[in-house]
Amino acid sequence: MTRAVYLTAMGPASGKSLVALGLVELLSRRVGRVGFFRPVVQSGDDNDLALIRARYELPDERCGYAFTDSERSELGNASRAGMARVVERFRQIEAVSDFVVVEGTDFTGASSPIELDVNLRISEHLGAPIVVVVNGHDRGVDEIVERFRVGRDSFGDDAISAMVVNRVGPSVLGPLRERLAQQSSDDPVWAVPELPELRQPSLAQLQGALGAELVAGDPDDLTRSVGHVKVAAMSVPNMLDHVEDDTVFIAPGDRPDVVLAAMLTRTSAAYPSVSGVLLSGGLRPDDRVTSLIAGMSGGVPVPLLSVSTDSFDTAIAANEVEGAITPGDRRKIDIALAHLEEHVDLAALGERIEVGRSDVVTPIMFEYDLIERAKAAKAHIVLPEGTDDRILRAAERICRRQVCDLTLLGPQDQIRTRIADLGLALGDIPIIDPLDSDLTERFAKRYHELRAHKGITLERAHDILTDVSFFGTMMVYEGLADGMVSGAAHTTAHTIRPALEFVKTRPGTSIVSSVFLMLLADRVLVYGDCAVNPDPNADELADIATSSADTASMFGIEPRIAMLSYSTGASGTGADVDKVRAATERVRELRPDLKVEGPIQYDAAVDVDVARSKLPGSDVAGQATVFIFPDLNTGNNTYKAVQRSADAVAVGPVLQGLNKPVNDLSRGALVADIVNTIAITAIQAGVEHA
């Protein structure tokens, strides 16, 4: 039976969207098919619907609404016909979902008592328990507690599963939590402090609301928050006295002094960093000024946006733009989820609304499970490529979600400047420059000891250890970090060579290999080796198989190994088939605990009907989870074919067989790929420590 929860607020501007996002996030980790429904939206392009649909890849049949605000008169005060339409639309979504989050109305144009009654009636008709959000903004403890009591009395203790007091002022938070803990109700109540950044618009939102045109700058910079909007109507020295972090200045395009001063705040440690400049009046900077800006080192540091309105009207319009968590703003989504997870026990909330865990594993569920397991590992990962923008953006996501501790390698000033340029919140993240670190001498001596038999002198060792890959690997070897992730800007050979030299393979393993975790629509498969070994012999293939099985188990996948070939069972002959047959027997000798079948063709490994025909009675055929390819050519091409043709997510390559975890990135890796690889490395480190 489909289950549902009804999310409603006690008034406008409660931050209900934040809690809705958190609820769907919780469900996405536990059930295969999440649904999202809104009885009434302000318009058909409702932001919350768009946000949930985009982030969780929900099809239209699992994400929709019943009425727009202009049609809400048809709903009336919970009229019979209106309720019938709400229930009908909900049932359509419920029929194709395992759990549905229903987000109530937005209190637009209706009085609170009427709106509360409408939401109560809808929740009763849908048979859904209620989570209530109370707005704590600019309210004292007594007022918040009173609104909490009104909400509990209005909906009734039996209907309420939990309550969240959102947007609580920092000075009120402690006393409020003490008062709420004294309440007699058994329903959990969480107080979430105000986070101004969530209410601030991004530059992109400001651009959309004002109809502004991006004249110059990096489009990725439009995700920066707008904390202050100020008209630059004074001279530059006086203007600089009013610079604060995340300020957007408004000035006519014929004020090159203001434009250039704003640009320089991004490259100077003397002033906070400006988010952007709005050029008012439709005026653009002179071409000579534009050329000067375009030629600045690292490109245009601050986005320039042009509007047709004058400075006064632009300032009024800009200050009226309210921030929202929009579908394309991944950074704000990360901030929002990290904030909610810090202050609301989502696991306890899941128990209150009776969310179980599905047997089906979707890609989203697997990726979120990675993050949760990485958090539990409490690992420290070193990232040698600290000057790469993708690495820095990934590091911010990791830090926001408190996944693990990180250290960046590279020139400190350069990295700090780039962090500021990108508007990232990385605080005091440790940065080590191998060219200027006390550790370099220690590491060089250690490397000399390990490699002197290869003719490495101390002087040469010192030169080698200034390389970020060698330095980062030595941090792992010496226990100063638990794992390393590199490869966004370096080759695979450059990344893993230091590990092969002195981290070495773990006992009982003769070869370093790799797997990709293939996230299909309803399952996760393990493919190996697709990245490292061109043509392994039978013993090496067996080693790859056992390592891949262990990796599968590490990530909660029951290993059922298919040793792939162009022949199944005893039907084929030839050197290639014989190699796979010998490797299969070797796996059985090494690990009698593992389920393994080979040689076997791919269709017999995945298709139950084919398996029944070709290998009846096999406990692997038709249900394999670990696929071992006979050579790199086959493995690499197959994983890419499945990735593109089946719209699968390929996570990896995950290196296996080393004494300590070191993982390689593709040089085309996206930020999300880097985040996943860091999480995987943290989990591997946690297993090593266990």
Side-chain angles (χ1 to χ4, degrees):
M1 178 180 176
T2 303
R3 291 157 295 168
V5 62
Y6 195 95
L7 177 65
T8 189
M10 291 290 296
S14 65
K16 175 164 53 70
S17 299
L18 170 66
V19 184
L21 182 67
L23 279 170
V24 180
E25 180 87 359
L26 166 67
L27 289 161
S28 295
R29 300 173 186 174
R30 299 193 176 198
V31 303
R33 301 176 302 166
V34 181
F36 187 70
F37 174 60
R38 298 208 65 191
V40 182
V41 296
Q42 292 188 40
S43 64
D45 58 350
D46 179 72
N47 182 76
D48 287 7
L49 282 175
L51 169 65
I52 300 300
R53 182 183 290 115
R55 174 166 174 79
Y56 301 100
E57 301 175 356
L58 300 188
D60 288 344
E61 60 265 26
R62 297 214 314 265
C63 188
Y65 63 94
F67 293 95
T68 63
D69 203 47
S70 60
E71 300 169 329
R72 69 178 292 135
S73 59
E74 299 179 37
L75 178 61
N77 188 16
S79 71
R80 185 180 183 86
M83 282 297 169
R85 179 169 164 180
V86 169
V87 172
E88 179 186 12
R89 185 69 184 99
F90 169 77
R91 294 300 181 201
Q92 291 171 351
I93 294 174
E94 179 191 41
V96 293
S97 304
D98 299 316
F99 205 110
V100 182
V101 174
V102 184
E103 183 185 344
T105 61
D106 288 330
F107 287 77
T108 54
S111 67
S112 290
I114 293 175
E115 203 82 354
L116 287 173
D117 184 63
V118 168
N119 282 292
L120 175 60
R121 301 288 184 189
I122 294 174
S123 68
E124 289 174 344
H125 281 288
L126 302 185
I130 299 171
V131 173
V132 180
V133 183
V134 177
N135 187 356
H137 179 63
D138 279 346
R139 292 190 170 101
V141 173
D142 291 340
E143 187 178 359
I144 293 173
V145 170
E146 180 58 29
R147 292 183 70 82
F148 162 79
R149 288 173 178 162
V150 169
R152 198 170 64 187
D153 292 342
S154 299
F155 294 107
D157 283 341
D158 291 340
I160 294 176
S161 288
M163 299 185 76
V164 177
V165 184
N166 197 19
R167 304 187 62 197
V168 179
S171 62
V172 176
L173 190 62
L176 175 64
R177 284 174 170 165
E178 291 179 6
R179 286 282 296 278
L180 292 176
Q182 298 168 6
Q183 300 302 308
S184 59
S185 173
D186 293 332
D187 301 322
V189 184
W190 293 283
V192 180
E194 179 92 79
L195 187 62
E197 193 168 356
L198 292 180
R199 307 294 298 180
Q200 294 170 354
S202 65
L203 269 176
Q205 288 175 279
L206 205 62
Q207 178 189 22
L210 303 182
E213 177 187 352
L214 181 63
V215 174
D218 186 347
D220 287 343
D221 246 355
L222 297 179
T223 61
R224 287 182 68 112
S225 294
V226 178
H228 313 276
V229 178
K230 300 183 179 183
V231 176
M234 53 187 70
S235 66
V236 166
N238 290 317
M239 170 196 129
L240 291 174
D241 290 338
H242 295 272
V243 175
E244 298 178 73
D245 275 326
D246 301 326
T247 294
V248 167
F249 278 111
I250 300 173
D254 59 359
R255 286 289 304 274
D257 54 338
V258 170
V259 172
L260 291 172
M263 296 289 161
L264 292 172
T265 62
R266 287 278 189 97
T267 59
S268 170
Y271 290 93
S273 180
V274 169
S275 285
V277 177
L278 283 171
L279 304 172
S280 59
L283 300 173
R284 305 287 183 90
D286 184 272
D287 289 344
R288 290 164 292 185
V289 175
T290 303
S291 297
L292 177 64
I293 293 169
M296 297 180 77
S297 176
V300 179
V302 175
L304 297 179
L305 298 153
S306 176
V307 293
S308 59
T309 51
D310 62 30
S311 296
F312 179 75
D313 289 338
T314 301
I316 292 175
N319 279 295
E320 290 178 350
V321 178
E322 257 197 47
I325 307 171
T326 56
D329 195 342
R330 178 62 188 262
R331 183 166 178 263
K332 185 172 281 189
I333 291 171
D334 287 339
I335 292 169
L337 289 173
H339 184 61
L340 192 70
E341 289 171 353
E342 183 180 356
H343 298 286
V344 174
D345 186 342
L346 292 180
L349 181 56
E351 292 175 5
R352 291 293 299 175
I353 60 177
E354 298 182 352
V355 181
R357 185 171 290 275
S358 170
D359 292 333
V360 174
V361 179
T362 68
I364 289 176
M365 292 167 67
F366 185 80
E367 288 181 322
Y368 294 151
D369 191 50
L370 281 184
I371 297 299
E372 292 306 308
R373 294 187 61 196
K375 287 181 179 180
K378 300 186 183 304
H380 177 191
I381 306 301
V382 60
L383 306 175
E385 297 161 323
T387 56
D388 189 289
D389 286 0
R390 293 166 296 167
I391 294 293
L392 295 177
R393 293 184 189 279
E396 186 192 41
R397 289 193 192 177
I398 291 292
C399 292
R400 289 280 191 189
R401 303 296 293 274
Q402 300 179 344
V403 176
C404 61
D405 293 330
L406 297 175
T407 293
L408 300 172
L409 300 186
Q412 291 195 29
D413 291 344
Q414 181 182 342
I415 293 173
R416 293 287 182 199
T417 298
R418 193 56 189 154
I419 289 171
D421 288 347
L422 295 172
L424 304 177
L426 282 169
D428 56 354
I429 186 171
I431 301 174
I432 300 175
D433 185 355
L435 293 173
D436 186 28
S437 171
D438 294 338
L439 289 172
T440 305
E441 190 64 33
R442 166 186 160 184
F443 287 175
K445 290 179 180 178
R446 186 70 176 122
Y447 184 73
H448 171 62
E449 292 172 4
L450 295 170
R451 302 292 291 177
H453 68 286
K454 292 290 186 178
I456 298 295
T457 65
L458 183 57
E459 183 179 6
R460 176 63 180 148
H462 193 279
D463 289 341
I464 289 173
L465 264 298
T466 59
D467 179 276
V468 289
S469 291
F470 277 87
F471 190 97
T473 307
M474 188 61 78
M475 285 185 66
V476 176
Y477 181 81
E478 290 286 276
L480 301 181
D482 299 311
M484 183 181 90
V485 173
S486 189
H490 293 91
T491 65
T492 296
H494 191 96
T495 298
I496 68 174
R497 179 187 166 192
L500 294 175
E501 284 190 3
F502 53 88
V503 172
K504 304 289 188 181
T505 56
R506 65 172 180 257
T509 302
S510 63
I511 190 172
V512 174
S513 59
S514 72
V515 295
F516 278 90
L517 303 173
M518 303 299 293
L519 313 188
L520 303 179
D522 59 351
R523 74 192 82 175
V524 180
L525 304 177
V526 177
Y527 283 8
D529 178 359
C530 304
V532 178
N533 298 288
D535 188 18
N537 60 36
D539 285 342
E540 290 171 336
L541 205 58
D543 204 325
I544 293 169
T546 57
S547 292
S548 299
D550 290 340
T551 299
S553 296
M554 185 185 301
F555 294 103
I557 303 165
E558 181 186 353
R560 293 187 291 271
I561 308 168
M563 306 293 287
L564 297 172
S565 174
Y566 60 77
S567 173
T568 296
S571 65
T573 59
D576 291 338
V577 179
D578 292 341
K579 179 179 80 168
V580 175
R581 186 174 289 116
T584 304
E585 292 306 316
R586 182 65 175 149
V587 172
R588 288 173 176 150
E589 292 172 9
L590 291 170
R591 295 285 299 276
D593 58 305
L594 294 175
K595 296 177 181 178
V596 59
E597 191 70 69
I600 185 172
Q601 292 159 288
Y602 194 96
D603 59 347
V606 298
D607 189 295
V608 174
D609 292 332
V610 176
R612 191 177 295 117
S613 170
K614 292 188 174 183
L615 280 175
S618 170
D619 55 3
V620 172
Q623 51 185 338
T625 57
V626 178
F627 298 77
I628 306 303
F629 297 94
D631 53 59
L632 185 60
N633 183 49
T634 307
N636 191 269
N637 278 293
T638 302
Y639 106 76
K640 288 181 178 177
V642 173
Q643 179 186 29
R644 302 297 179 184
S645 302
D647 198 25
V649 177
V651 179
V654 180
L655 297 184
Q656 52 192 17
L658 289 166
N659 266 318
K660 295 188 177 183
V662 171
N663 276 310
D664 181 39
L665 296 165
S666 163
R667 275 171 285 175
L670 303 175
V671 173
D673 300 328
I674 299 169
V675 170
N676 283 338
T677 303
I678 293 172
I680 284 170
T681 309
I683 293 169
Q684 288 178 312
V687 171
E688 295 289 339
H689 291 163

